[in-house]
Amino acid sequence: MKPRHRRLALVAVILLAVAAIAALVTNAFRSNMVFFYSPTQVAANEAPQGRSFRIGGLVEPGSLRREGVQVHFTVTDNAKTVPVRYEGVLPDLFKEGKGVVAQGKLEGGLFVAREVLAKHDENYMPPEAAQALKQAHGQNSLKEAGQ
């Protein structure tokens, strides 16, 4: 093998190694990404089935129910609602009618949360939840106007 062929073979091996590493990193990054969906998007089946994602909105007043360590509540964006089940201790600021973001998976029509985040203060709303509420309100306005 000539020196030139050895250099080309070495460059080819390095390029293949870099491509393999990039593919592994991209695959790991993709599998760990968690997207945000509103209750309207979940109701429209836009959320992934069997994969973890975040849902946000308001805790529907009157929907909070505790059964031992399990907590059941409904997240709404004032257009659609999604029932949520969570097992564990809720944040101190978790209340009905307040903003919430939960991370978990859909199981049937039930969102099984493994993490629940509540708002920080009276004026704070998670940006994703605020955007979802704003979009849902816009859709309701269009429906009321007959469009």
Side-chain angles (χ1 to χ4, degrees):
M1 190 179 246
K2 295 180 182 177
R4 180 176 180 200
H5 291 139
R6 272 190 255 153
R7 279 191 299 238
L8 285 175
L10 180 64
V11 168
V13 168
I14 290 172
L15 288 175
L16 285 174
V18 169
I21 290 170
L24 290 172
V25 168
T26 302
N27 190 27
F29 183 68
R30 188 177 307 147
S31 65
N32 289 326
M33 288 177 45
V34 179
F35 292 102
F36 178 86
Y37 293 91
S38 68
T40 299
Q41 290 174 311
V42 173
N45 292 326
E46 294 177 21
Q49 298 289 326
R51 287 195 56 197
S52 183
F53 65 93
R54 288 184 174 189
I55 186 170
L58 301 174
V59 179
E60 189 172 42
S63 68
L64 183 62
R65 184 172 42 100
R66 296 178 191 270
E67 294 176 359
V69 293
Q70 282 191 357
V71 179
H72 298 265
F73 58 94
T74 304
V75 174
T76 183
D77 59 2
N78 295 326
K80 299 287 182 182
T81 60
V82 175
V84 178
R85 182 183 76 210
Y86 175 68
E87 193 170 308
V89 179
L90 289 170
D92 291 337
L93 298 174
F94 181 88
K95 292 181 183 174
E96 292 180 347
K98 300 296 180 185
V100 67
V101 173
Q103 182 173 335
K105 293 180 181 179
L106 268 179
E107 292 181 7
L110 179 69
F111 186 80
V112 179
R114 64 182 167 124
E115 183 180 13
V116 173
L117 305 170
K119 67 181 187 77
H120 291 243
D121 62 24
E122 287 297 316
N123 299 320
Y124 179 77
M125 172 73 73
E128 298 94 349
Q131 182 69 20
L133 289 172
K134 197 178 290 181
Q135 286 178 346
H137 181 70
Q139 290 175 352
N140 283 344
S141 297
L142 290 175
K143 286 179 185 174
E144 291 171 1
Q147 296 179 353

